[in-house]
Structures are given as structure tokens and as C-alpha cells.
Amino acid sequence: MTAALPPIDQLSLLAQAAQMVVVRASGHLFDHQIRYPTWEANQATLSHYLQDLGVGGVILLGGSAAELGLRTQALQEQSTLPLLLAADIEEGVGQRFSGATQFPPPMALDAIAEQDYPTACRYAEAMGRVTALEARALGLNWLLAPVVDVNNNPGNPVINVRAFGATPDRVSTLASAFVRGARCEAVLTTAKHFPGHGDTRVDSHLQLPHLPHSLERLRQVELPPFEAATAAGVDAVMTAHLQIPALDPSYPATLSYPPLTGLLRQQLGVAGLIVTDALVMGAISQSYGPEEAAVLAVEAGADILLMPSDPEGCIRAVVAAVCARWLAVRRYAPKQRLASP
């Protein structure tokens, strides 16, 4: 009989902070197959993350579908608590893992919708269902998809054909159909990249894009697909590494309270997970250290810290920030109202 898992509020502060971290690993089985050693932990380091630190999840890339099935099973067996096992599979599992189904990019559905809108919606729902079905069969429980950015800038170097279209209505309808299909297979879905990465000419993997639009423009174009995906039951929203002065003139959206908590949580009423885009991306790492970025993201309202460059330092920094905040409150609040962190 499997032992009962402890409630999250009975975990130590350190363990709770570690559960917020998702690290990256290769889908291949052996260290010599790792393609991105800067980002993907080897077996010994990954075991340390899982067994000693207790990280909450792993994002996987590369390898075959057969390898992935073995890999996900081994990872779950190494972890004390069940893991979130994720992948960027916007075009089907075969996009990242050979031997599984790969679909055309989502923009292909936009082209179909130009001629036959109902058929495009059926295809989008089937795409979500098949992607989720194969993901679950291979041990993945979290799709970092669909992209709900409105790709209305033809010079966009990073979203482009990953989007379902160039208009809010088209993206809203097709992305929501994808979410409904995926939800049939009990796999988590993610709407990305909030509050909208479609109208940029800069790749946030490399540097920080600026989006000069007003809040009113964001409400008309960028935000409706996130609202539609939420209504369709999407489980998580991924942040965009964007500088949007209308929301915060100082910090990028991933590290900013006004867009994540003020807009996403409070105004749009999103109750699911907020996950950062990868914190190793140049838009963040060029200006913020890994520990600073982690703390700012949590303070902004993020629930999951994706791919920090230093997972252990990130966890320590979050714990230290929580303790510092608790001590600051304790200094001024009545003692009888406070509990230990």
C-alpha cells in the first residue's frame, strides 16, 4: 500500500520552495546523449535535484517516445512527491520526441479556418486530444501549450507560426478548442505567453522585447485569448518576458506584480497556476541574477519557476526572502497574531 502523502502545508518552508521549481532535463536515457549540457542536468545532478532538493517538476526535451516513457517512470520513482513532467509540445508529442505524432504548426489551422471554420475547430480539438493522449501514455502530465499569442506582427521572430492566427477571435476559438480536446485526457494545459508576445520584433530568448501598447489596446487584442482559454478550462498561464510600460515601467512582466497579480489574478480572475517562461532566457538573465529573478517572480505572483539557471540557489533565495518578510512583519505586528513560517 502506498503511504499517504503529506499535505502541502505540512511540508517545510524549504520543501515548499523546492516544489515551485521545474528543472530541465534531456529525454534521452544517458548522459552522453545530452544535447544542451548548459541547461540539462546530468544523471547525478538531476538525482540531487529530485532526491535532495525535492524540486517539483522536470521539463523534458529530446529523445524518442520509447525513451521518454522509460525516463518519466524513472523520474517519478526517484521523487518522494509526484512530479510535474512537462514538455513544450505545441505541435504534438512528436515535435520533441521522435516516434510520436507531430502536427503542422498551429498557424496551419488558421489557414484552414479561412476556408472552413468548423473543420478548423474540429481539427484543433483533435490536435489537443491526441497530443494529451500520447503525452499521458508516455508519462507526461503537463502540456506547455497552447500558444495563445495573437501573431499580428509579420516580423515576429519567436511566435510566428506557433500562433493560431493573427486576430484575437481566431486565436481565442482555435486555442480554446485545443484546450477542450486536451482536457478529455486529464493532462494539464498552459496558455502562453501572458500578456501577449505576438506583436514583437525581438526574440525574448535573446533579449528583452518592449511592447508600447496601452492597457486598452491589450484588452482589445492581446488579452481576449487568455480569457477564452481560461473559460475553456486551461490549467496554467505562462508569463512572457516583455517590458510593457503601461503595466510596469520598471520590471518585465514575468517579474512584475501589476500584470501577474493585478491584471491576471485580480482583474481577469485566473485561478490556475502562473508559471514563468524559462528564467535562463536572455530577456531575464542579461539583467537579473538567478536568485534575484526567482524572488522577484514569486513576489510578482508566480507559482512555478521554470528553468532557473541555479535551482539550488533559487530555492535558498526564495526561502531567505520569505523569512526576511516574516521577520519584518513580526517586528511590527502583535506577536499573538503570528505563526511560524
Side-chain angles (χ1 to χ4, degrees), residues 68-257:
L68 178 64
L70 295 173
R71 188 79 155 127
T72 56
Q73 181 178 352
L75 292 173
Q76 293 287 15
E77 289 173 352
Q78 286 185 70
S79 180
T80 302
L81 295 174
L83 292 168
L84 288 170
L85 295 178
D88 277 305
I89 40 181
E90 303 159 5
E91 301 171 18
V93 177
Q95 179 187 7
R96 303 298 186 188
F97 308 98
S98 62
T101 301
Q102 181 171 4
F103 296 99
M107 189 68 78
L109 293 173
D110 181 58
I112 294 172
E114 291 289 341
Q115 304 298 323
D116 189 340
Y117 207 86
T119 295
C121 292
R122 289 197 301 272
Y123 284 174
E125 186 167 343
M127 181 178 175
R129 183 180 298 111
V130 171
T131 300
L133 177 65
E134 292 190 357
R136 186 163 61 89
L138 297 172
L140 297 174
N141 52 30
W142 190 9
L143 310 182
L144 299 182
V147 170
V148 302
D149 301 308
V150 179
N151 195 74
N152 56 357
N153 186 332
N156 195 314
V158 63
I159 303 302
N160 208 288
V161 297
R162 299 166 64 193
F164 283 97
T167 65
D169 289 345
R170 187 69 56 80
V171 173
S172 296
T173 302
L174 296 177
S176 296
F178 180 99
V179 170
R180 288 194 300 272
R183 283 178 58 83
C184 294
E185 300 300 331
V187 173
L188 301 177
T189 54
T190 309
K192 58 187 189 184
H193 307 78
F194 184 85
H197 205 322
D199 193 8
T200 64
R201 287 184 173 269
V202 172
D203 185 348
S204 53
H205 292 89
L206 305 176
Q207 54 187 310
L208 181 64
H210 288 249
L211 200 63
H213 301 315
S214 67
L215 180 57
E216 180 60 28
R217 150 60 196 252
L218 294 174
R219 292 190 184 280
Q220 291 175 353
V221 177
E222 278 77 17
L223 298 183
F226 290 95
E227 296 176 287
T230 298
V234 78
D235 303 285
V237 174
M238 180 180 285
T239 69
H241 303 329
L242 301 175
Q243 187 78 56
I244 308 175
L247 297 177
D248 188 334
S250 301
Y251 292 101
T254 293
L255 310 181
S256 175
Y257 187 92

Side-chain angles (χ1 to χ4, degrees), residues 278-331:
L279 294 174
V280 298
M281 291 166 61
I284 299 297
S285 63
Q286 287 182 356
S287 300
Y288 302 91
E291 297 182 2
E292 179 186 18
V295 171
L296 288 172
V298 173
E299 289 178 339
D303 303 299
I304 302 291
L305 304 171
L306 181 65
M307 287 179 60
S309 60
D310 179 7
E312 194 160 4
C314 161
I315 294 166
R316 288 197 305 265
V318 170
V319 170
V322 172
C323 290
R325 180 68 59 87
W326 184 80
L327 289 173
V329 172
R330 185 177 186 276
R331 184 174 301 171

